[in-house]
Amino acid sequence: MKHMPRRYRHYSVQFLHPWDVRQIARLERMVFLEPMPMAQVVIKYLSPRTRFLVVKDGSLIIAYFGYEVLGPYAHVLANVTHPLYRRQGLASFVLTEAAVSAERMGAKAFIGEVRFSNQPQLEVLKAIGWTRTAVIEPFFGNGEGAHIVMKVFH
Ligand SMILES: CC(C)(COP(=O)(O)OP(=O)(O)OC[C@H]1O[C@@H](n2cnc3c(N)ncnc32)[C@H](O)[C@@H]1OP(=O)(O)O)[C@@H](O)C(=O)NCCC(=O)NCCS
């Protein structure tokens, strides 16, 4: 992938392969209160509107960003960085790089929801130019509120 920075030269960046779908479900279970179940990851993976951009260290997925294009919006499914690979700029990288493919699929902006308690994600998004546009409370299954976040591509 031509936008891969030099500092990631020992990692590979690719769209998700079917044999790696299980790794996405495993990371979801590892980090989320309300993870996408394996069957749901498979359904999303098979949808022509969905893409998962992944970064791998050898065969291990160390970061991913999944999104689903719905008209002019690419809705964020999730982005995760493996706990052992955080603070290397990987989330910033996948979220930025994925705009290229989302735009090719017709989207004009990313839109997503971030838990009130998820300060790390809010910091990442702020650093790469996403904006908080609204609040919905409650939003998540456990009653927690969400910041609605967006990144317009141009
Ligand atoms: C949020 C998450 C994706 C960040 O991944 P990451 O690869 O470590 O993020 P980056 O390295 O790109 O961080 C970029 C910047 O964001 C900010 N940041 C990231 N994590 C932070 C934290 N825990 N606390 C404060 N600031 C943070 C920093 O400014 C950081 O730059 P710096 O390391 O030079 O200071 C990761 O913590 C994660 O997977 N969390 C669990 C899953 C999740 O909540 N996903 C988002 C909701 S879908």
Side-chain angles (χ1 to χ4, degrees):
M1 193 156 293
K2 66 178 193 286
H3 300 278
M4 193 157 98
R6 249 184 89 67
R7 67 182 186 279
Y8 301 131
R9 62 195 180 282
H10 53 298
Y11 299 151
S12 62
V13 184
Q14 55 198 239
F15 289 111
L16 182 65
H17 293 302
W19 52 87
D20 285 329
V21 165
R22 197 175 291 276
Q23 287 202 58
I24 299 292
R26 199 178 303 136
L27 279 165
E28 288 266 329
R29 283 195 303 276
M30 197 188 286
V31 304
F32 287 127
L33 276 176
E34 296 166 38
M36 242 195 297
M38 175 73 182
Q40 187 68 13
V41 180
V42 171
I43 289 167
K44 293 296 183 193
Y45 173 76
L46 292 173
S47 163
R49 295 193 308 228
T50 301
R51 293 284 183 279
F52 286 88
L53 186 64
V54 307
V55 183
K56 291 172 87 172
D57 182 2
S59 60
L60 181 71
I61 292 181
I62 56 173
Y64 71 86
F65 174 35
Y67 63 86
E68 183 169 27
V69 175
L70 303 164
Y73 293 116
H75 181 245
V76 176
L77 295 172
N79 69 283
V80 171
T81 300
H82 189 290
L84 298 177
Y85 290 83
R86 290 187 182 162
R87 304 303 288 266
Q88 299 181 28
L90 289 173
S92 314
F93 171 70
V94 280
L95 285 158
T96 304
E97 178 63 26
V100 177
S101 52
E103 206 173 352
R104 276 197 200 119
M105 292 166 76
K108 298 187 183 313
F110 283 129
I111 187 162
E113 307 83 27
V114 182
R115 286 177 187 276
F116 283 177
S117 61
N118 198 344
Q119 199 57 35
Q121 177 74 349
L122 292 169
E123 293 295 334
V124 171
L125 298 181
K126 188 169 75 181
I128 58 173
W130 288 50
T131 49
R132 294 188 206 178
T133 60
V135 154
I136 303 180
E137 192 180 12
F139 184 87
F140 291 99
N142 69 346
E144 186 169 359
H147 291 285
I148 308 305
V149 291
M150 282 192 76
K151 170 75 178 174
V152 178
F153 299 149
H154 292 292

